Structures are given as structure tokens and as C-alpha cells.
């Protein structure tokens, strides 16, 4: 790993100020993605600005029908939180199956979203649950947050402070993980709310996307049979999906239907 | 280089480290605690697992500077007063190791597993140990060791 300067600010404002001063710098959250990236020499920041000492990024609370999770909360903390288990148990279960135990003890919600790995689990949750990313300067709707492979709507000096999740009627996440990394080859989150059904797919494309055909079918009949009735007509083309040595586009398309059915079954 | 102060195996230490120093490098080199192993250096194998403030983490994927002010426990810190930790004893009595390379990380991960879930069953233990790779044992005796430690700890609580 190349050398860099290290900073550990105590507030978000200080962190943003440091990044503006050191424009070649990067924010460091739990480091479970960024440190491997640095070891591979795929990034060469002049400065790392750690977010781990910032108290305002911590905490989980419920306000009315909204669950608010601080960006600095680690996956294990989200999984074990009584507030998350009570309001959105499907989200607690998702967090409990990210990576492995050691990764869940370090990785954070904000770090995962900002890194925007195409195979990460949290993106499926925020998109399906119609969450909102709160940053130091604005709010960004989940549908507008992911913009490309490892790309988001965040400005380089913008810090995610919290994520707001509207509490759904039911939701569940099903994934088929890579055996080596536990990253999702495909993961599907299904959320049923008073306003309808949202279905988000991670792992299959450059970033988490909504499956409109599944949403429409499940909106008419929230059942496994509704997905079976779609057959091949999932509204996605195998050729547009990720095609790697681990899984072809056609296989990933097949997994979308299988996992959507498992998620719906888990909701019922 | 800057000085970092942290607690390692109950003892406060202050040691110089460049920002890019990994926690595992700090432990193995200046602190000479070579029981923490580096297997893959890519956050896959879990050989470098240590406890930071009681929770298992991969020391190859944490900067040493981020450990400032924390309490780190390595395999060298588990035995107390010349007596092996119950998990170490269980690995020994169940023959939960062959070459031993993964064992320090495996044991620290298992300690965290039972701390989080003292009634973990075989499935819980196997799922928990996903982050630790062993190329010798086929995991069978490792899982047996963790379950045996669980039973022994439950008995000693009842007693």
C-alpha cells in the first residue's frame, strides 16, 4: 500500500473541511472495501480522512413510520439492533448476512452505499425500501443515488450522515452469494407497502435496479404464483446483465426469478 | 510516523507507525506478537483475526492508526495465569487443528461467536466461521471444539 496522510476528525463539518483542503483525499469508513482497493493500487489518495471518530454518524432511531440509521453504524450493529429487528426485520436479516462476521464488525452502512459495489447487499435494501440518503448538505432519493458501476450522486467532498427507511408492511431479501466472498451473485429485496410493491435487484447489473415487471405482477397479486406466471418475461435481458466467470447473464436472470420467489415466500 | 497508544493483551503500549501500517503489521513487527498470522492479505482467510474492543476483526483490513485508543486481544493474550482459555483447551482436546496456521484466527473468531451467541448451535457456528478458512481439517473438529467449549462454559455458569 502506498503512503498517505491520515486524519481523524471529530465532526462531519471538520471532515468535509479536510477533504476540501486535501482534494486528493478520500473518506475512510469501515475500510472493508477501501483498504483492499488501496492494496491493489486501484486508488492513490494523498490523504485518508477517517469517519470513525464522528459521534454524529452513530445511532439508530425510529421517528413515526421511519427508521433512521446513522451512516457510521456497523453491519453487526444494524443486525443486532432491537429497533431494526422490531420495525424492519428483513433489513436486520440482510445486514446479518453481509460478508462474514469480521467484515460485519467493521463495515458500515454509509461506507457500503458510498462505495456502491455492484454486488453489495445494502443497495438492494435502500432501493426496495424507497430509502433516502441524508448527506451533510442534502437528501438524495434511493432511485437517484446509484448512477453507475461504483458511481453515486455524491460529490467527492460529500459525506453520508444517515439513511432514512420508511417502514414497509413486509419485506424480505434473498441472495445467492459467491462462495468465496459472500458478495451477491444476485440478491433480490421485495418490499410491500401501502403504496405498492417495490423489487430491487443487486449483483446482476452495474448497480442495484428496480424490476418493474416484477413490481407490477406482485402489485396485482402478491404471490409466488405471480412470478411463476411471468415465465421469462421479467423485463430484463440476459445480455444486459453482468457476465463473469462465476455466473453468466442468463444464469443471473434465472436467479432473479428464483430469489424473488424466495423473498416473496419469506414475506408471506 | 506518529505514535499510537493502544492496549494490547491488557498492557498499554505506545508505538510509532506510518499511516499505511496495517494493524497486523503493527502486531507482528514492532510488537513481535507473531501468533497473529497473515494468510491471504486480502480479507478472505481470517488467519489475522484479532479482537478489537471485544469484537473479531481482520487485522489485515484495519489500519493500525484506527486502533488507537482501543483494546486489542491476540492469541497471546487469551491464556490467563498460565492456564489456556477454554476455547484453546477445546481445540486441543477435540483435535481442532492440523497444521495450525489458521488456528489463532479461528480461536479468536470462535471466542467472539460464543460471546455474541452463547447458545450457538452447529449451524450458527458453521455460519459464523465463514470468514475463517482452514485447508486441513475439513472444519469438522473445529466445529466440534466450539460446541464443546459452549457446553463447558454453560456448565461452569450453572455450577
Amino acid at each position: 500500500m502506498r503512503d498517505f496522510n491520515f486524519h481523524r476528525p471529530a465532526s462531519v463539518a471538520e471532515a468535509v473541511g479536510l477533504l476540501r483542503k486535501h482534494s486528493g483525499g478520500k473518506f475512510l469508513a469501515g475500510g472493508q472495501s477501501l483498504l483492499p482497493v488501496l492494496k491493489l493500487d486501484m486508488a492513490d489518495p494523498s490523504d485518508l480522512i477517517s469517519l470513525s471518530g464522528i459521534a454524529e454518524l452513530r445511532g439508530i432511531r425510529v421517528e413515526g413510520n421511519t427508521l433512521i440509521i446513522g451512516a457510521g453504524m456497523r453491519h453487526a450493529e444494524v443486525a443486532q439492533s432491537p429497533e431494526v429487528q422490531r420495525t424492519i426485520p428483513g433489513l436486520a436479516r440482510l445486514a446479518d448476512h453481509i460478508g462474514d462476521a469480521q467484515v460485519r464488525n467493521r463495515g458500515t452502512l454509509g461506507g457500503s452505499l458510498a462505495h456502491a459495489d455492484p454486488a453489495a447487499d445494502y443497495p438492494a435494501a435502500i432501493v426496495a425500501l424507497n430509502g433516502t440518503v441524508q448527506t451533510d448538505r442534502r437528501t438524495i432519493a434511493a432511485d437517484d443515488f446509484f448512477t453507475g458501476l461504483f458511481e453515486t450522486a455524491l460529490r467527492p467532498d460529500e459525506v453520508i450522515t444517515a439513511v432514512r427507511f420508511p417502514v414497509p408492511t413486509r419485506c424480505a431479501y434473498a441472495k445467492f452469494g459467491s462462495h468465496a466472498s459472500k458478495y451477491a451473485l444476485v440478491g433480490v429485496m421485495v418490499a410491500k407497502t401501502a403504496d405498492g410493491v417495490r423489487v430491487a435487484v443487486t449483483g446482476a447489473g452495474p448497480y442495484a435496479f428496480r424490476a418493474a415487471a416484477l413490481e407490477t405482477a406482485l402489485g396485482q397479486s402478491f404471490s409466488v404464483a405471480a412470478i411463476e406466471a411471468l415465465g421469462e418475461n421479467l423485463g430484463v435481458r440476459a445480455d444486459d446483465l453482468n457476465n463473469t466467470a462465476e455466473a453468466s447473464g442468463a444464469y443471473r436472470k434465472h436467479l432473479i426469478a428464483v430469489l424473488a420467489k424466495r423473498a416473496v415466500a419469506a414475506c408471506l | 510516523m506518529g505514535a499510537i497508544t493502544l492496549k494490547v493483551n491488557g498492557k498499554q503500549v505506545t508505538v510509532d507507525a506510518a499511516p499505511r501500517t496495517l494493524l497486523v503489521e503493527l502486531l507482528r513487527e514492532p510488537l513481535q506478537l507473531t501468533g497473529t498470522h497473515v494468510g491471504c492479505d486480502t480479507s478472505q482467510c481470517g488467519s489475522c483475526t484479532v479482537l478489537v474492543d471485544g469484537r473479531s476483526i481482520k487485522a489485515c483490513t484495519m489500519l493500525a492508526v484506527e486502533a488507537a485508543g482501543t483494546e486489542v486481544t491476540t492469541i497471546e493474550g487469551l491464556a490467563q495465569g498460565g492456564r489456556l482459555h477454554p476455547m484453546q483447551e477445546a481445540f486441543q482436546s477435540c483435535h481442532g487443528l492440523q497444521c495450525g496456521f489458521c488456528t489463532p484466527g479461528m480461536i479468536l473468531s470462535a471466542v467472539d461467536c460464543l460471546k455474541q451467541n452463547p447458545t450457538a448451535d452447529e449451524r450458527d457456528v458453521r455460519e459464523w466461521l465463514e470468514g475463517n478458512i482452514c485447508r486441513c481439517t475439513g472444519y469438522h473438529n473445529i466445529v466440534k471444539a466450539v460446541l464443546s467449549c459452549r457446553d463447558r462454559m454453560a456448565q461452569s455458569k450453572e455450577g
Side-chain angles (χ1 to χ4, degrees), chain A residues 5-256:
Chain A
N5 300 308
F6 181 78
H7 312 267
R8 199 160 183 249
S11 72
V12 171
E14 200 189 328
V16 171
L18 280 164
L19 199 91
R20 286 181 180 160
K21 197 170 145 200
H22 306 286
S23 60
K26 265 196 168 300
F27 294 122
L28 171 68
Q32 301 305 285
S33 297
L34 183 54
L35 294 182
V37 163
L38 295 185
K39 287 184 185 185
L40 291 170
D41 234 354
M42 288 164 74
D44 182 19
S46 62
D47 295 71
L48 280 190
I49 297 148
S50 168
L51 305 176
S52 66
I54 303 179
E56 61 200 287
L57 299 179
R58 309 269 314 151
I60 295 177
R61 64 182 200 280
V62 180
E63 271 179 20
N65 204 36
T66 305
L67 173 69
I68 303 162
I69 304 181
M73 296 308 285
R74 303 192 190 279
H75 309 326
E77 293 173 321
V78 173
Q80 291 166 0
S81 155
E83 286 85 5
V84 181
Q85 289 175 359
R86 178 168 55 81
T87 55
I88 315 184
L91 181 62
R93 276 196 292 275
L94 175 147
D96 200 32
H97 288 89
I98 297 173
D100 53 49
Q102 294 95 321
V103 167
R104 293 194 290 274
N105 282 336
R106 287 294 297 162
T108 69
L109 170 60
S112 171
L113 294 177
H115 185 63
D117 192 296
D121 298 300
Y122 269 136
I126 189 170
V127 172
L129 293 168
N130 199 14
T132 309
V133 176
Q134 178 72 51
T135 77
D136 60 297
R137 66 201 67 168
R138 59 179 169 150
T139 59
I140 307 169
D143 285 339
D144 303 326
F145 185 75
F146 300 104
T147 56
L149 185 71
F150 293 106
E151 284 183 9
T152 69
L154 291 170
R155 305 295 307 155
D157 63 349
E158 193 167 11
V159 177
I160 302 176
T161 54
V163 180
R164 304 170 70 89
F165 295 98
V167 175
T169 320
R170 304 299 292 268
C171 75
Y173 178 65
K175 83 163 157 178
F176 192 82
S178 153
H179 269 294
S181 66
K182 299 298 161 193
Y183 270 111
L185 287 180
V186 176
V188 178
M189 183 94 167
V190 173
K192 191 170 190 281
T193 71
D195 301 327
V197 177
R198 286 173 68 106
V199 178
V201 179
T202 191
Y207 53 92
F209 60 87
R210 287 173 65 189
L214 287 168
E215 290 184 352
T216 307
L218 290 169
Q220 285 160 4
S221 161
F222 193 77
S223 64
V224 171
I227 299 172
E228 277 166 356
L230 286 175
E232 291 286 302
N233 303 316
L234 300 176
V236 289
R237 278 165 27 96
D239 288 349
D240 295 336
L241 300 180
N242 297 338
N243 186 0
T244 66
E246 261 188 313
S248 66
Y251 182 51
R252 285 180 210 261
K253 182 178 171 182
H254 169 73
L255 284 177
I256 291 173

Side-chain angles (χ1 to χ4, degrees), chain B residues 90-135:
Chain B
F91 268 68
Q92 191 181 51
S93 61
C94 297
H95 195 56
L97 62 142
Q98 287 178 30
C99 87
F101 192 88
C102 72
T103 312
M106 200 63 86
I107 287 179
L108 286 157
S109 186
V111 166
D112 192 22
C113 173
L114 291 190
K115 199 166 131 200
Q116 299 308 316
N117 183 3
T119 58
D121 62 18
E122 179 179 342
R123 192 195 161 121
D124 297 330
V125 171
R126 286 187 182 274
E127 267 193 18
W128 184 277
L129 293 178
E130 267 175 0
N132 293 79
I133 294 174
C134 171
R135 290 290 71 135

